[in-house]
Protein backbone atom coordinates (compact mmCIF):
# COMPACT_ATOMS: atom_id res chain seq x y z
CA UNK A 1 0.00 0.00 0.00
CA UNK A 2 1.15 3.51 -0.78
CA UNK A 3 0.55 4.78 2.74
CA UNK A 4 1.43 8.43 2.14
CA UNK A 5 -1.83 9.40 3.83
CA UNK A 6 -2.58 6.32 5.88
CA UNK A 7 -2.26 8.19 9.19
CA UNK A 8 -4.78 10.78 8.02
CA UNK A 9 -7.17 7.94 7.26
CA UNK A 10 -6.50 6.39 10.68
CA UNK A 11 -7.34 9.64 12.46
CA UNK A 12 -10.39 10.41 10.31
CA UNK A 13 -11.83 6.92 10.80
CA UNK A 14 -10.85 6.65 14.48
CA UNK A 15 -9.20 3.26 14.04
CA UNK A 16 -5.73 1.73 14.40
CA UNK A 17 -3.40 1.44 11.38
CA UNK A 18 -3.48 -2.37 11.49
CA UNK A 19 -7.18 -2.33 10.61
CA UNK A 20 -6.45 -0.54 7.33
CA UNK A 21 -3.28 -2.50 6.63
CA UNK A 22 -4.50 -6.00 7.54
CA UNK A 23 -4.90 -7.10 3.92
CA UNK A 24 -1.65 -5.54 2.65
CA UNK A 25 1.64 -7.38 2.39
CA UNK A 26 3.72 -4.18 2.40
CA UNK A 27 3.30 -0.49 3.14
CA UNK A 28 5.26 2.75 2.88
CA UNK A 29 4.33 5.45 5.41
CA UNK A 30 5.32 9.08 4.86
CA UNK A 31 6.61 10.82 8.00
CA UNK A 32 6.80 14.38 6.67
CA UNK A 33 4.12 17.03 6.02
CA UNK A 34 1.37 16.48 8.62
CA UNK A 35 3.53 14.32 10.87
CA UNK A 36 6.21 16.99 10.90
CA UNK A 37 9.40 15.07 10.15
CA UNK A 38 11.71 16.97 7.78
CA UNK A 39 12.04 13.93 5.50
CA UNK A 40 11.45 10.22 5.65
CA UNK A 41 9.32 7.26 4.82
CA UNK A 42 9.01 3.96 6.67
CA UNK A 43 8.71 0.72 4.78
CA UNK A 44 6.94 -2.23 6.34
CA UNK A 45 6.53 -5.80 5.20
CA UNK A 46 7.81 -9.33 5.66
CA UNK A 47 11.43 -9.92 6.65
CA UNK A 48 12.23 -11.19 3.14
CA UNK A 49 10.60 -8.14 1.53
CA UNK A 50 12.55 -5.71 3.73
CA UNK A 51 15.83 -7.54 3.03
CA UNK A 52 15.20 -7.25 -0.71
CA UNK A 53 14.29 -3.57 -0.34
CA UNK A 54 17.48 -2.83 1.62
CA UNK A 55 19.55 -4.62 -1.02
CA UNK A 56 17.84 -2.69 -3.83
CA UNK A 57 18.40 0.59 -1.97
CA UNK A 58 22.10 -0.15 -1.54
CA UNK A 59 22.46 -1.23 -5.18
CA UNK A 60 20.94 2.08 -6.27
CA UNK A 61 23.18 4.12 -3.96
CA UNK A 62 20.40 5.08 -1.58
CA UNK A 63 22.31 4.75 1.68
CA UNK A 64 22.74 7.55 4.21
CA UNK A 65 25.42 7.82 6.86
CA UNK A 66 24.74 9.26 10.29
CA UNK A 67 21.01 9.45 9.74
CA UNK A 68 20.14 9.11 13.43
CA UNK A 69 18.99 12.73 13.64
CA UNK A 70 16.46 12.08 10.89
CA UNK A 71 15.43 8.81 12.52
CA UNK A 72 14.82 10.69 15.78
CA UNK A 73 12.51 13.12 13.97
CA UNK A 74 10.68 10.13 12.47
CA UNK A 75 10.29 8.57 15.90
CA UNK A 76 8.74 11.77 17.26
CA UNK A 77 6.47 11.95 14.21
CA UNK A 78 5.10 8.50 15.05
CA UNK A 79 4.90 8.90 18.81
CA UNK A 80 3.65 12.49 19.17
CA UNK A 81 2.26 13.83 15.90
CA UNK A 82 -0.42 11.42 14.69
CA UNK A 83 -3.06 12.86 17.04
CA UNK A 84 -2.47 16.39 15.79
CA UNK A 85 -3.60 15.44 12.28
CA UNK A 86 -7.13 16.17 13.50
CA UNK A 87 -6.15 19.87 13.53
CA UNK A 88 -5.42 19.69 9.79
CA UNK A 89 -8.76 17.99 9.20
CA UNK A 90 -10.60 20.69 11.22
CA UNK A 91 -8.80 23.46 9.33
CA UNK A 92 -9.70 21.96 5.95
CA UNK A 93 -13.35 21.73 6.99
CA UNK A 94 -13.29 25.27 8.40
CA UNK A 95 -11.92 26.59 5.10
CA UNK A 96 -14.57 24.65 3.15
CA UNK A 97 -17.32 26.16 5.32
CA UNK A 98 -15.78 29.59 4.86
CA UNK A 99 -15.86 29.18 1.08
CA UNK A 100 -19.56 28.35 1.21
CA UNK A 101 -20.25 31.54 3.20
CA UNK A 102 -18.45 33.82 0.73
CA UNK A 103 -20.54 36.55 -0.85
CA UNK A 104 -20.73 36.51 -3.82
CA UNK A 105 -21.02 32.70 -3.95
CA UNK A 106 -18.07 31.85 -6.21
CA UNK A 107 -17.21 28.47 -4.69
CA UNK A 108 -18.90 25.09 -4.96
CA UNK A 109 -17.96 22.71 -2.14
CA UNK A 110 -19.39 19.33 -1.12
CA UNK A 111 -18.85 19.30 2.66
CA UNK A 112 -19.54 15.56 2.81
CA UNK A 113 -16.27 14.95 0.95
CA UNK A 114 -14.12 16.95 3.40
CA UNK A 115 -13.00 14.10 5.63
CA UNK A 116 -9.28 14.72 6.06
CA UNK A 117 -6.77 17.45 5.26
CA UNK A 118 -7.48 17.64 1.51
CA UNK A 119 -10.20 19.79 -0.01
CA UNK A 120 -11.24 19.82 -3.64
CA UNK A 121 -13.71 22.45 -4.81
CA UNK A 122 -14.99 24.10 -7.96
CA UNK A 123 -15.52 27.66 -9.11
CA UNK A 124 -19.12 28.46 -10.03
CA UNK A 125 -18.11 31.03 -12.64
CA UNK A 126 -16.33 29.55 -15.64
CA UNK A 127 -14.92 32.99 -16.49
CA UNK A 128 -12.26 32.26 -13.85
CA UNK A 129 -10.28 29.08 -14.45
CA UNK A 130 -8.80 27.07 -11.56
CA UNK A 131 -5.33 28.15 -12.71
CA UNK A 132 -6.37 31.83 -12.69
CA UNK A 133 -7.89 31.42 -9.24
CA UNK A 134 -4.75 29.75 -7.84
CA UNK A 135 -2.59 32.50 -9.33
CA UNK A 136 -4.83 35.15 -7.75
CA UNK A 137 -4.75 33.42 -4.34
CA UNK A 138 -0.94 33.22 -4.48
CA UNK A 139 -0.48 36.86 -5.52
CA UNK A 140 -0.59 40.00 -3.40
CA UNK A 141 -1.54 43.48 -4.62
CA UNK A 142 -2.11 46.93 -3.12
CA UNK A 143 -5.91 46.62 -3.18
CA UNK A 144 -5.70 43.48 -1.09
CA UNK A 145 -3.36 45.05 1.46
CA UNK A 146 -5.72 48.02 1.72
CA UNK A 147 -8.82 45.81 2.07
CA UNK A 148 -7.41 43.12 4.39
CA UNK A 149 -4.78 45.15 6.22
CA UNK A 150 -2.08 42.79 4.95
CA UNK A 151 -1.11 40.64 2.02
CA UNK A 152 -2.10 36.99 2.24
CA UNK A 153 -0.43 34.40 0.02
CA UNK A 154 -2.35 31.12 -0.30
CA UNK A 155 -0.85 28.29 -2.34
CA UNK A 156 -3.28 25.89 -3.99
CA UNK A 157 -3.20 23.69 -7.06
CA UNK A 158 -5.45 23.55 -10.14
CA UNK A 159 -6.49 19.90 -10.15
CA UNK A 160 -8.25 17.38 -12.38
CA UNK A 161 -11.78 17.91 -13.63
CA UNK A 162 -11.72 21.68 -13.31
CA UNK A 163 -11.25 21.61 -9.55
CA UNK A 164 -8.90 23.34 -7.13
CA UNK A 165 -6.97 21.27 -4.57
CA UNK A 166 -5.99 22.65 -1.16
CA UNK A 167 -4.03 20.66 1.44
CA UNK A 168 -3.39 21.36 5.14
CA UNK A 169 -0.31 20.21 7.06
CA UNK A 170 1.70 20.96 10.19
CA UNK A 171 2.84 24.37 8.92
CA UNK A 172 -0.70 25.78 8.46
CA UNK A 173 -2.45 27.03 11.61
CA UNK A 174 -6.08 27.83 12.36
CA UNK A 175 -5.20 31.55 12.08
CA UNK A 176 -3.60 30.91 8.66
CA UNK A 177 -6.78 29.13 7.59
CA UNK A 178 -8.96 32.09 8.59
CA UNK A 179 -6.68 34.43 6.63
CA UNK A 180 -7.09 32.11 3.62
CA UNK A 181 -10.89 32.42 3.98
CA UNK A 182 -10.57 36.22 4.00
CA UNK A 183 -8.40 36.05 0.89
CA UNK A 184 -10.94 33.80 -0.88
CA UNK A 185 -13.70 36.28 0.03
CA UNK A 186 -11.60 39.13 -1.34
CA UNK A 187 -10.92 37.23 -4.58
CA UNK A 188 -14.64 36.51 -4.99
CA UNK A 189 -15.53 40.18 -4.50
CA UNK A 190 -12.83 41.36 -6.91
CA UNK A 191 -14.00 38.84 -9.51
CA UNK A 192 -17.58 40.12 -9.21
CA UNK A 193 -16.43 43.75 -9.61
CA UNK A 194 -14.38 42.80 -12.68
CA UNK A 195 -17.42 41.01 -14.18
CA UNK A 196 -19.65 44.06 -13.57
CA UNK A 197 -17.13 46.39 -15.21
CA UNK A 198 -16.83 44.05 -18.22
CA UNK A 199 -20.64 43.86 -18.71
Amino acid sequence: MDGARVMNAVVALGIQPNVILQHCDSVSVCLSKGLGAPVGTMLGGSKDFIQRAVRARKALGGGMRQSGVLAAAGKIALSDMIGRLEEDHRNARSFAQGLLQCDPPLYQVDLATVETNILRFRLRDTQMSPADFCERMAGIDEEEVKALGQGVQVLMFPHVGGTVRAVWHLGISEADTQLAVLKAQFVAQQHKLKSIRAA
Side-chain angles (χ1 to χ4, degrees), residues 26-49:
S26 63
V27 62
S28 63
V29 178
C30 179
L31 303 176
S32 61
K33 299 276 183 167
L35 293 181
V39 296
T41 297
M42 278 188 334
L43 185 64
S46 69
K47 184 176 181 178
D48 178 60
F49 175 78

Side-chain angles (χ1 to χ4, degrees), residues 90-111 113-114 117-125 128 130 133-134 136-137 152 154-157 162-168 176-189:
R90 268 195 315 272
N91 286 335
R93 189 160 187 82
S94 174
F95 183 74
Q97 290 167 331
L99 290 181
L100 289 175
Q101 294 169 3
C102 282
D103 183 27
L106 179 60
Y107 311 108
Q108 181 181 347
V109 181
D110 181 357
L111 283 177
T113 64
V114 187
N117 64 320
I118 294 180
L119 167 66
R120 282 181 55 199
F121 60 95
R122 295 181 182 282
L123 303 171
R124 292 179 185 272
D125 187 344
M128 181 184 284
F133 171 76
C134 292
R136 184 66 188 96
M137 289 293 285
V152 179
V154 182
L155 303 178
M156 290 187 248
F157 184 72
T163 63
V164 175
R165 183 176 188 255
V167 181
W168 279 256
D176 294 332
T177 300
Q178 292 312 308
L179 285 173
V181 170
L182 289 175
K183 176 72 175 251
Q185 174 67 47
F186 175 78
V187 168
Q189 290 170 345

Side-chain angles (χ1 to χ4, degrees), residues 8-24:
N8 286 96
V10 162
V11 169
L13 295 171
I15 59 176
Q16 293 298 311
N18 64 320
V19 176
I20 293 175
L21 301 173
Q22 65 183 323
H23 301 294
C24 300

